[in-house]
Amino acid sequence: MRLREKNAAFSRIISGHEKRTTIDKDFFNWLKECHEQCDKQVRFGGFTKAVTRPDLPKNKQNPWAEFSQIEWDGKLFKKGQLVRIQKTVPVLYGAIRRFLLHGEHEGDVFATGGDIEVQQEPKCLYDDIRIVSLAKLDRTARPELVKRYIEDEEAKLPDKIVVTWPEGDAVFNNEKRPAGKTIGDIKAEIANRRGEYISKLPGSSSRKLLVELKIVWHSPTGSEMIVSHISQYGKNWAYWFKKMENIKNLGPHTLILQTVLNESGNKVFAGKELPSKVVKFTVTEAAPDKFTVGLLEGPFRVGAPFQIPLEFQDEFSHPTKPSNKLKPLLEAPGLELSHDGTQVKGNSLVIQGIVAKGSVPTSTGKNFNLVVTVPGLAEKSQSLKIRLLPGPPHSIDVSPEDGVQVENGNTVRFEIKILDVAGNLSVQSNKLNAVCKFTGAAGLPSYSVECSATGQGTLTGDPIKVKKITKEQVITAIIELQGHKDVKGIERVVEVLPSTKAASMELCYHGDGTKASPIKDGQEILGTAGEHIKGLEFTIKDEAGRVLDMNNTLASKIKVNWTPKISKDTVLKGHLPDVKVPNSASDTKYCHISCTGVEFSFTVKAIPGDPVQIKCKCGSGTKVRLGEILDSHILVTLKDKYGNDVQKLYHGILKELSVSGDGLVDDEMERALGQGCSFDIKGIKFEGGSLGSRELCVKWKELTDYVRVEVIAGKPTKITIPDWNVDQPVSIYNDHKFSKPLIVQLCDESGNASSEPNVKVQLAKEPGFKLTPVPQPQKTDVQGRAYFGIMTVSGKRGVFEMQPKAFCGRTVISGPKIKVSIQPDVTKPISLVVEYDKSASYTVGETLTEFVVKVIAEDENVMTGAKPSHIAMKLWQSDGRIDTRPPTKTISSVPDSRRRGDTNGHFYFRNRKVPEISGTHNVMFVYNDTKYEVFSNLVAINVQPGPPVKLVPLQIPGTPTVSNTQKIASRSLIRTLQLELRDEFDNPAGQNVNGKVTVEVMCADTVNEVPQLAGNTRKVVLQLENGRATMQNLFIQENTPGKDGQEYFLRCVANSPSNGKWTALYDIPFLFFNDAKKQSQMATLTKERDSLVAAIKTYKSLFVTTNQLIDELKIAVHEANREKTKLREEIKRQNIPLSQLQSLTGLDSLLQQRVKERDQLLNVSRRSCGLQPAVRHQEVLGKIAHLAMVRDSDVARVLSWHMTTDMDCVITHTLRKAKEIHRDSGGKQQVMSLDTMYKKNLPDWDKPLPHIRFKPNWRPAGNPVYARTFLEFPQDPSNCKIVFGSLLGDAIICNNLDHATLYRQELVKYTHCPTILTRDGERIRSNGKFGGLLNKAPAIERLRGAVFGEPLTLKYHAVCTQIDTLQNYRVAMVKYEDANKELEEQQAALKDPEMQAKHRECQEAEEQLKDIDSRLGLGRQPNRGRQPVRPPQPSFDEDPSSAKRSRPSSGRQSDTSSIVNGVTPSRSSAPSTPTRQSARRSAMANDSPNMGGAKRARYN
């Protein structure tokens, strides 16, 4: 711009002063200022943070804002996008890192310019970051051109190595090369992607490139680098490496050519590895050059083939495989050698089947030098020394060679040698046995000799014995080697001559002066028992049958076995000693005679002599029933003086046999001859007399013997029940067991216990009661008893009978009838009676009526002994079913503490709170003492809701957004909404409540413009029926005034004329906009905000609940640890070792030990009362013998005897019960009632001894003590003291009678002396009388069980206390560990990734909520009008933010009417826009608690 007239003056007014200037300069300055200040054409977006720029001067480093994208002239530039920067030298190409704008900014902002930070590309060449002005950005550059330029730049980088072999000897990949083969010269060149050869990196740095050569040997122990060189670049030869001839290691190798940087040797540039060339090859062994002799397998023997392995190597001593063409030669002086050929095995050549023959004079062998030659090798010969041993057997040499003569009975000798194939003596490490077998006669021996050590030996052995030889006889000897069939055997002829030695013997004897009787070898001779056989004569002959003369030498060799010494003169005469006959007829005597190999034998057997004794024996059984015949027979035998049975009986001998015995019936007895010359007596029968053993006397002539017979009971005819008093009824509680088992005993007519087994016994009973288990028919055992066990009785109250019956064949034996008196168990509950006000009404939050519970026992009376800890009240919400027992989850409570005036046996439940949920609830009372569990009848209570205090929506609406446009969808506030009256516990409380609900548009006090509803009104009145009102199609007026972006709310106020001055209100906030487009955007944000608010509330609730749970668990751990420490101190005081309390295993082991110890102490035999216990009843105290226990045995004996007449007396509480027991027992039972005792004269239980009052310093001898101090009462001690104070009085216990008399003598000087009892059983009555049987206690066994029982030991109680403490400690330990484990799990759950993710999502939701609030403008509204005006009574319990919920579904909207404030507008089908959110937040928002939902009680 310029002035038309050059002479015109142009001036500007600046701050009121005129300043001359040029118009073109000012115009351009003004235009530039407009561009910079007004024309803001660049939109900065994606604000990240405020930054400081240290690359600028200090005064310009702050403030700067960082953005991730810009929008300029409709083009979007983002972080990471490739761009071109112009007006720089050189022109920059790179990727956008960020955008920088000076000033303090948040969110999107428009500006005229700024700075851009660019990462120069390619990065591998230009590792630089530049910040330039945004004006230098080339907006016309296309991304594909920028990318193509960067790729062209990257193509200049090294890409591969080109390798050539100028001189040959190339190495190829996976090649196999022999060791020592040359690797030729290598020429390497580096090429880029363009195919150009380069020696340095492109770009400004221009760093040089080198090539490194490595050869790596991969040995079995690991990789080893054997060659490493680096080559510089040469203009004529590029990268050159000289040839290599030192590669001789066997195995895989790798040749590597690697490009490296000059200055650092680095293989990586710009994050990428530089190019390399890898060649893999394998070095193998070369051709054979030499050999060695391998390991020889000795020993080497003459004629035995062996082999020699030859191992071949190349020139580098590597094992190599030989060729089949190699022919080895063998030479050895003194040996004849031959072989079968060669075989290649791996790297060895094996010479097979080598056989050596030569002279070896000794068994240890001889050394020979062996030379092996392989023609064609550099080292062709190898010499070795071998030791040759004698070979295996080949032949046998036997001497003598001619025939041999031998006398029968002598041995033969042969000398033998074992030779190998060369004639050497054969020696082996294994056994080498030579065997000689004789043929030609029977019974000939065989010889053998072992020759493995020397190769020779002598064959000999047992003598040659040919039987029945009378002349010369020829036999053949065959000599062989065992196990060597290839060695031929040798035969020799042997001539055997008859022997002149003794060969046979002849024997005879003279019996009773008769002629000689010959005895054959092995003959049996008979003789009278105990006598001698005399006149034995003998002769001896040789093998030829010639009689030998008896000389001293021959006589000395004769031996007999029936006498140790023989008279030499008797033998010289041809006689032998006499032989004694055995005493027993069952024995035989073996007689043996020997003389120089001649043996002769015979046996002597005894026959019985004359009878001198009689023996009787009963048969299979000696038991006989009384009145029946003995089943077995009595066998009578006659014996001689040595006990041998006499075998010969004469005619009429039975007349001389007689039998007698006590109670024996002679008419039934029979006598006869038995088998084996014996007498047989049968028909033995007894009548009368006692049971047990009886003797029978058997007599023959003057000889007598006795037989013992066991007489047992006769046939069973009766039944008895041992240990049961069938005369009196057995008293027992219902559902209790008998105190003893029921055993049935069979008896005969005389009352003797019968031992009849397998007799069926059945128990019959009346149908009025039941026995468990049901008694099945039993069979008697060997003692005649049937065992029915201990049975449980159940039935109604009364007396019933049962009777055992036995079935012996067809005979039925009926036993005595047992009367069973069933008494009700006063300790067994059968029902619960609940008393309460049935007309009472119940309102939530108030107090229940008083419940009185009584426990009814079997006697239909109140069980006063029930404990409050056994009774509980269960309360739960009814589900419409009629339950017979409470469910698992209920509200449980125990009875209240007793008050003055409460009835005994009644349990009171007062001031119990009514549940906070209206509806039907069930109440049930439970009695549980671990043994019995009784439930009361179900009590149903109807809980009414409280008065209405608040108005809540059934479906929580969101935050509506409206605008004053013509579209009805944009002006819609509420489509459909139902409001309901609730009480303070969120129960529907509007039943029968009618009125009106006024809906009015409200806002903050500072806002003047308030939108109007359709119809140009601010209020709408809805009908309230039964506590519910329905709001439908509520719209704002078209073009209604209102502040843009302001938050208003609809106040809903409920009124009911019937309830007086009562109001309940509910506020619904909404946003108002003047622009429909903005309203649509804000509606989407509002819905998203509602979801975020619901999700944040759910998250917060979860976090608070988790923290509360952890706090409660910490308290539980602390309390459990405190209880555990307390019990541990108690255990320490009880001297329990703490070492076993470290773990549950040790604690359980200790508990098992203590329980075992307790059981052992419990099972120790103790004194017990044998009397039958009294009937169990709440009015019966018990029998006197059972009321007390005495630890001292001596005191227990004398006290039990002193009170023997009172021990069986039953003590009752009332006279009525005493009369009832007396009547039921027929007057046989002693009874005494407590209410008839005179209690004023009862002694003081703890008063001192009488002598202390008059002689306090006197210490009497004998340790006098009141007798009552020894009594220990297991139960009801107060009443027991009354009983024993009345019966025992002031009786005193002393040590003995002397001490008692001295004490009485001194005491009567001052006062009356009570009865004195002594530990040794004496008694001095109160009148001074003592002595005699009436004042002397018998032994405790004679008291027939009427004794005081012995209490359990103190050790038992101590162990029980320890067990209780240990069990409590175990419970506390488990509770502590469980609580601690749960605490650790919850604490670990806080650190769980899922929980951490929830925290992060909650924080992100809060940030998003903050962002949405700022975008909605809610953050700038100090008074949003969201809190309703509080009426006198509260109307909300929840936070207002929880009232925002999603709108009803479109399907439900279609069902509603289209009435708008009484006007029918046109329909709009504009759908609502869904809110985008994460799946987790959406789920949590949908599951968030409904503000109008009813609260649920927490049941235990």
Side-chain angles (χ1 to χ4, degrees), residues 1139-1158:
S1139 60
Q1140 298 185 7
L1141 305 181
Q1142 305 303 322
S1143 63
L1144 285 176
T1145 305
L1147 182 59
D1148 292 339
S1149 176
L1150 182 60
L1151 262 174
Q1152 291 178 359
Q1153 294 177 6
R1154 290 296 187 267
V1155 170
K1156 184 177 180 181
E1157 184 178 356
R1158 180 196 65 185

Side-chain angles (χ1 to χ4, degrees), residues 677-704:
C677 300
S678 61
F679 305 110
D680 189 8
I681 303 174
K682 57 183 178 180
I684 302 300
K685 180 180 180 181
F686 295 94
E687 289 184 353
S690 60
L691 304 180
S693 179
R694 299 191 188 185
E695 286 187 346
L696 293 177
C697 178
V698 181
K699 186 175 182 181
W700 180 77
K701 291 185 178 182
E702 300 301 328
L703 304 178
T704 59

Side-chain angles (χ1 to χ4, degrees), residues 160 385 397 909 1048 1072 1110 1326 1419 1477:
K160 61 182 178 179
K385 183 179 288 186
D397 183 23
F909 294 85
Y1048 299 90
F1072 178 84
I1110 290 177
S1326 60
Q1477 54 186 353

Side-chain angles (χ1 to χ4, degrees), residues 39-69:
D39 295 342
K40 297 183 179 181
Q41 57 183 350
V42 182
R43 181 177 180 270
F44 286 78
F47 172 78
T48 55
K49 59 183 177 180
V51 296
T52 302
R53 293 184 58 180
D55 57 316
L56 298 178
K58 289 186 178 181
N59 58 343
K60 296 183 180 180
Q61 289 182 359
N62 288 306
W64 287 89
E66 181 182 302
F67 296 88
S68 62
Q69 67 180 20

Side-chain angles (χ1 to χ4, degrees), residues 85-312:
I85 305 297
Q86 57 187 2
K87 300 180 182 179
T88 59
V89 180
V91 176
L92 295 182
Y93 293 87
I96 300 174
R97 286 174 53 87
R98 59 179 178 174
F99 297 96
L100 299 172
L101 180 63
H102 189 269
E104 294 181 356
H105 304 282
E106 286 187 6
D108 296 352
V109 64
F110 289 89
T112 59
D115 290 344
I116 180 173
E117 185 177 271
V118 179
Q119 169 70 57
Q120 190 172 0
E121 294 290 345
K123 190 176 181 181
C124 55
L125 293 179
Y126 312 102
D127 192 7
D128 191 15
I129 297 175
R130 303 281 297 274
I131 300 177
V132 297
S133 173
L134 195 59
K136 296 181 180 182
L137 176 63
D138 187 359
R139 290 170 286 163
T140 62
R142 290 183 296 173
E144 56 269 17
L145 297 178
V146 177
K147 186 175 180 181
R148 187 185 307 164
Y149 171 80
I150 295 174
E151 290 176 352
D152 291 342
E153 288 294 313
E154 288 179 344
K156 298 178 182 179
L157 293 173
D159 180 61
K160 61 182 178 179
I161 295 180
V162 180
V163 179
T164 57
W165 307 85
E167 303 296 335
D169 293 328
V171 180
F172 301 101
N173 198 25
N174 297 327
E175 179 188 5
K176 291 186 178 180
R177 301 171 61 86
K181 185 176 180 179
T182 303
I183 296 178
D185 295 339
I186 301 174
K187 179 182 179 182
E189 293 177 290
I190 303 174
N192 57 20
R193 272 190 253 173
R194 298 179 178 180
E196 301 170 348
Y197 295 113
I198 60 175
S199 61
K200 60 182 180 179
L201 290 174
S204 58
S205 59
S206 299
R207 286 178 284 184
K208 292 183 179 181
L209 297 176
L210 306 181
V211 177
E212 181 182 15
L213 168 67
K214 290 183 181 179
I215 297 180
V216 180
W217 172 42
H218 305 289
S219 66
T221 58
S223 298
E224 179 182 352
M225 186 169 63
I226 58 176
V227 175
S228 178
H229 298 297
I230 294 180
S231 175
Q232 298 279 353
Y233 178 77
K235 294 183 179 179
N236 298 326
W237 53 80
Y239 301 94
W240 191 280
F241 297 94
K242 294 183 179 181
K243 64 180 178 180
M244 291 166 282
E245 299 178 349
N246 59 344
I247 308 302
K248 60 184 179 179
N249 295 328
L250 300 183
H253 290 66
T254 302
L255 186 148
I256 304 172
L257 291 170
Q258 176 67 53
T259 305
V260 296
L261 295 179
N262 182 21
E263 59 273 12
S264 62
N266 196 356
K267 302 177 184 179
V268 179
F269 175 71
K272 296 182 180 180
E273 191 171 352
L274 294 175
S276 62
K277 178 73 172 181
V278 177
V279 180
K280 293 185 178 181
F281 63 94
T282 303
V283 177
T284 60
E285 62 274 4
D289 185 70
K290 54 187 175 181
F291 76 94
T292 59
V293 179
L295 183 64
L296 302 180
E297 297 180 359
F300 306 104
R301 297 185 180 275
V302 174
F306 62 93
Q307 62 184 18
I308 298 177
L310 305 180
E311 298 177 352
F312 291 82

